[in-house]
Amino acid sequence: MRMRHFKFKYVLPLIAILFLWSCGDISAPPDSTITINPSSLNIENSLLTTETSTQYYTVSVVDKDGNPIADVKLSISSIWASPSPYNLVQLYKGDTPVDSPFDATTDEFGAYKFRLDFISGGGYEYTGDLEVRSGAAFAASTLDVTAGTATTP
């Protein structure tokens, strides 16, 4: 009788963890890796006027064995993104502008694609990281915008 209680005591939490892991919108498991592509972006714009440019990013999440993980909840943020008072960067979920941070979920291939618009030119110079977090996993991609030598368009 005592042995039966011992097994149940440890098996039930294990079943609960496996059930929650299979339900979607989970955090990345321990020892998983998040990768952001591109890993950095360096823009030099010497125009006197500002312009808005678009960059597409792909986030990938793999387990410790390198297998893609579907349905992982991600938190994506940028220090310069809205609602920053400087509003130099705008994050998008599909074609919809969103505030930073925003939540997303990896697809069946362990990936998530999104858009980032940023301002350059007009003398603007700034550097900041685009950050992706899930559980203990973390990755960053640096956005570096410099003015260069001013020219007329």
Side-chain angles (χ1 to χ4, degrees), residues 18-139:
L18 292 174
F19 175 75
L20 290 174
W21 193 351
S22 66
C23 288
D25 284 350
I26 56 160
S27 293
D31 298 323
S32 59
T33 303
I34 297 175
T35 305
I36 304 172
N37 188 18
S39 59
S40 65
L41 187 61
N42 298 305
I43 303 298
E44 183 177 324
N45 186 338
S46 57
L47 294 175
L48 294 174
T49 58
T50 61
E51 64 182 0
T52 300
S53 301
T54 297
Q55 178 65 46
Y56 291 92
Y57 286 87
T58 302
V59 175
S60 301
V61 182
V62 296
D63 65 16
K64 65 182 178 180
D65 298 321
N67 300 311
I69 309 172
D71 300 320
V72 171
K73 183 178 179 182
L74 306 170
S75 177
I76 301 172
S77 63
S78 171
I79 192 168
W80 298 114
S82 177
S84 162
Y86 302 105
N87 224 12
L88 298 170
V89 171
Q90 179 62 63
L91 297 170
Y92 287 83
K93 199 171 189 177
D95 290 327
T96 305
V98 293
D99 284 346
S100 175
F102 76 95
D103 290 335
T105 305
T106 59
D107 63 17
E108 65 268 23
F109 304 107
Y112 180 75
K113 297 178 182 182
F114 67 98
R115 172 179 146 195
L116 177 144
D117 287 356
F118 62 93
I119 296 173
S120 65
Y124 278 107
E125 291 192 330
Y126 57 96
T127 299
D129 285 340
L130 172 74
E131 298 179 347
V132 179
R133 300 174 187 277
S134 183
F138 170 82

